Amino acid sequence: MTDDSPFLRRPARAPRTAGPAGLRPVCGSGVPRLSVLAPLLGAVLAVVPAVGASAAGDATASPSASASTGPQLPLTPSSLDPESGTCAKVSPTQVGATPWAQLSLDVAQANKYTQGDGVLVGVVDTGVAPQAAGLAGRVHAAGAAAQDCVGHGTFLAGVIAASAVPGSGFAGVAPGARVVAERGTDQWGRPSAELVAQGIEAAVAAGAKVVDVSAALSADTAPLRAALEHAAAKDVLVVAPAAPDTAPESSSGQSSEPPPASYWPAAADGVVSVLDVDINGAHPDGVPQPVHADLAAPGDGITGIGPKGTGNYVANGASVAAAFVAGTAALVRAHLPHLTAAQTAARLEATAAHASVPLLDPSAALSTVLPTAAPSAAPDPALHLPEPAPTSRLVPRAWALAGACLLLGVLTAGAMTVARLRTSRRRTDRNPA
């Protein structure tokens, strides 16, 4: 661990290091599942667009060379170009296989413990379509939050809580949880600190126990800090991406230099910040590098749902990874309801797979027995012998009486022996040979 590493967790916690090269062994030898799934990448690419494809104004991703003969899924971007004037299109394609992210996290095993029933999750993003495939009947959305032109909020809500639909192998992490949708962006997906703060406040007021925020803002504001403090006071766990899904651009269209040191609300104390990794456990190339992250989760070439139809979509970025963590938090809060928000966050981190940035492990978060009692005081090294039991005065008397009886017995036996010897001598004297 070196102090000059470009990748550190927030100073308030034990620092972890990882630079761009250090992120490569995120799975390492201790996390074999993603490496085992690496051969599936070819199959995944047959139905998803090239990793990192930009779709700021294009709802369909361009095909990769390895997938030129396979079907393409529409890419769900985090925002749309307002000048396009068009919303997300309906996907005509369903993927019947279980997506790689669900396989790598072993979501099916986690759902044997719980499916998140009874937990309300707030999604602060572009809105959530209440009748989206796999979410119908479990989404509360009012006003603008019920209209999702971009489709990103619906996608994240699906990663968190969608149930399986016929013909598709996709399902969310907590298919029994409910969702409350709040807008943290405008119609086209452009976030602001004011809207994010309002969304968090509204989700907390609605009774959410977990709030997933998709925005990664370059600066915080007083209203945003107040909203996060209110969430903490109400025992609500907030999850957010450690960096934006795409590099911020300046007015000239070029990437801004230098990037912010931290992004909000992920940088705030008590918020679980999440980094995205690909199928190999590496942070994807060409995306922003955060300076700290609490957890890592799949966020590259992720299959999900859209606001209309039953077809599947694909999305990338740390905001998608955060949705996997939020869904797992919902499972933990359903399975272990006595845990506070802070304890839930600590459990997610403590049970994560060992790596440069701990990799989310839903099953371990639900099943691992963690020490809860404070360590006992150090034992006294001195050896203490027990005090002798109190004795009665009758004991010495009994021993004296026993000794006297023994002596009397010995004397009696001796006297009898002497008497027999004398008698024998007399007989010998009377009858000489």
Side-chain angles (χ1 to χ4, degrees):
M1 184 175 296
T2 59
D3 295 335
D4 58 351
S5 170
F7 192 96
L8 296 175
R9 300 179 71 196
R10 59 174 59 100
R13 302 182 185 180
R16 298 175 186 258
T17 61
L23 286 172
R24 290 299 173 187
V26 163
C27 291
S29 60
V31 189
R33 287 179 294 181
L34 287 182
S35 59
V36 170
L37 288 171
L40 297 177
L41 181 58
V44 173
L45 291 176
V47 292
V48 300
V51 172
S54 174
D58 184 1
T60 303
S62 59
S64 64
S66 62
S68 59
T69 60
Q72 297 298 301
L73 294 180
L75 180 65
T76 299
S78 56
S79 62
L80 295 174
D81 182 1
E83 295 182 0
S84 67
T86 59
C87 295
K89 300 177 181 179
V90 175
S91 172
T93 307
Q94 278 189 325
V95 178
T98 302
W100 76 265
Q102 277 75 2
L103 290 174
S104 71
L105 296 175
D106 203 0
V107 172
Q109 177 64 29
N111 287 158
K112 293 180 180 179
Y113 295 96
T114 179
Q115 295 193 357
D117 298 73
V119 176
L120 182 65
V121 181
V123 176
V124 181
D125 197 359
T126 59
V128 177
Q131 299 303 317
L135 291 174
R138 291 187 292 117
V139 176
H140 173 74
Q147 306 296 323
D148 187 11
C149 177
V150 180
H152 196 262
T154 301
F155 189 98
L156 297 193
V159 170
I160 295 169
S163 57
V165 298
S168 174
F170 168 81
V173 178
R178 295 177 295 115
V179 171
V180 55
E182 300 295 342
R183 272 277 184 89
T185 71
D186 63 10
Q187 177 186 358
W188 306 106
R190 295 173 296 188
S192 70
E194 180 182 5
L195 291 175
V196 170
Q198 293 174 358
I200 294 172
E201 292 278 10
V204 171
K209 300 303 292 181
V210 178
V211 174
D212 178 70
V213 179
S214 67
L217 305 168
S218 59
D220 68 335
T221 63
L224 181 57
R225 290 194 299 271
L228 294 173
E229 291 172 358
H230 183 220
K234 292 295 185 179
D235 192 34
V236 178
L237 180 61
V238 178
V239 182
D245 293 340
T246 58
E249 292 186 353
S250 65
S251 57
S252 62
Q254 302 296 322
S255 297
S256 59
E257 294 292 346
S262 299
Y263 292 92
W264 298 83
D269 290 338
V271 177
V272 179
S273 59
V274 186
L275 173 77
D276 52 323
V277 295
D278 61 21
I279 196 170
N280 295 311
H283 190 50
D285 295 328
V287 295
Q289 291 279 1
V291 295
H292 67 257
D294 297 319
L295 287 170
D300 191 62
I302 305 303
T303 302
I305 62 172
K308 298 178 181 179
T310 59
N312 292 123
Y313 298 73
V314 69
N316 308 306
S319 66
V320 182
F324 281 108
V325 175
T328 303
L331 295 181
V332 173
R333 304 215 76 173
H335 188 58
L336 302 169
H338 61 283
L339 296 183
T340 64
Q343 290 171 334
T344 299
R347 186 176 186 85
L348 292 174
E349 295 181 40
T351 59
H354 179 70
S356 299
V357 180
L359 185 63
L360 178 69
D361 190 335
S363 295
L366 297 170
S367 61
T368 302
V369 178
L370 299 176
T372 56
S376 59
D380 189 346
L383 178 63
H384 298 280
L385 296 177
E387 295 293 335
T391 57
S392 171
R393 291 180 180 178
L394 294 177
V395 174
R397 293 179 182 177
W399 279 110
L401 180 59
C405 291
L406 179 61
L407 178 60
L408 180 60
V410 170
L411 293 175
T412 301
M416 292 176 65
T417 301
V418 171
R420 282 196 292 269
L421 289 174
R422 289 178 178 177
T423 302
S424 176
R425 285 180 180 178
R426 289 173 183 171
R427 289 177 180 175
T428 302
D429 292 341
R430 292 176 182 174
N431 302 296

